[in-house]
Amino acid sequence: MASVSVSHLIIFIASMMIAASVAGVFTDTVGQLSSAVSEQGLDVSSDVRTDIEIISDSGSDAIYDSDGNQNITLHVKNTGSEGLAADPGELDVFVDGEFATVYTVTLLPDGGLSWNQGDVVRLEISTAALANWQASGDHRVKVIVNGDEEVFEFRS
């Protein structure tokens, strides 16, 4: 009889050890999942609060080659509640489907660094660095900030 009780006790202790190790793994996994969800929530929150509008007039002569440098000049307004950096690293720019790498971002009117709600930046895109640029015709510029995309079409 004692051997039955001992074997039951061993099985009980083994099952408790297995249950404790499984609970430890689940606790760690749930903690990692919780951290990932929190980080994703912050990213989504930032994306939702980001909104820009290209406020340039597509029929204006001030869009392309206004000062003889053959640049595309656009004015972009921060209409979201998220403050942005007036920095070229914050924007992705495409001209006629080609990724533009040479452009400047200047906060108007004083050239500061913080692009807050309601502020406007001047975006000057160098067409000399674009491999497929044709000076005349219809053009499309796409500006992307924090997942928010705006498209601007004009004729030069």
Side-chain angles (χ1 to χ4, degrees):
M1 284 283 195
S3 64
V4 173
S5 296
V6 171
S7 64
H8 282 148
L9 182 63
I10 291 172
I11 291 172
F12 176 74
I13 290 172
S15 64
M16 292 310 274
M17 289 176 55
I18 291 171
S21 64
V22 168
V25 169
F26 280 150
T27 302
D28 184 50
T29 303
V30 168
Q32 290 176 357
L33 183 61
S34 174
S35 295
V37 168
S38 294
E39 289 176 18
Q40 182 68 25
L42 291 173
D43 290 343
V44 169
S45 173
S46 177
D47 289 351
V48 167
R49 292 189 319 248
T50 301
D51 192 26
I52 60 167
E53 294 293 328
I54 300 174
I55 60 172
S56 296
D57 179 9
S58 62
S60 171
D61 290 336
I63 300 298
Y64 176 69
D65 199 23
S66 62
D67 55 3
N69 59 8
Q70 297 183 351
N71 286 346
I72 299 169
T73 304
L74 299 177
H75 291 89
V76 184
K77 185 174 187 173
N78 182 356
T79 57
S81 61
E82 178 84 4
L84 304 168
D87 178 33
E90 295 292 318
L91 301 157
D92 291 325
V93 179
F94 293 86
V95 178
D96 295 337
E98 183 178 348
F99 185 65
T101 57
V102 181
Y103 60 90
T104 60
V105 179
T106 307
L107 185 64
L108 299 177
D110 60 359
L113 298 175
S114 183
W115 185 15
N116 295 316
Q117 181 180 14
D119 290 345
V120 176
V121 296
R122 180 176 53 242
L123 177 63
E124 290 196 37
I125 307 162
S126 172
T127 59
L130 298 172
N132 299 320
W133 175 254
Q134 300 293 323
S136 62
D138 293 331
H139 301 286
R140 212 172 162 249
V141 178
K142 180 188 271 192
V143 179
I144 304 170
V145 179
N146 281 356
D148 183 45
E149 300 178 7
E150 291 299 321
V151 176
F152 183 79
E153 296 177 345
F154 69 99
R155 178 179 288 254
S156 62

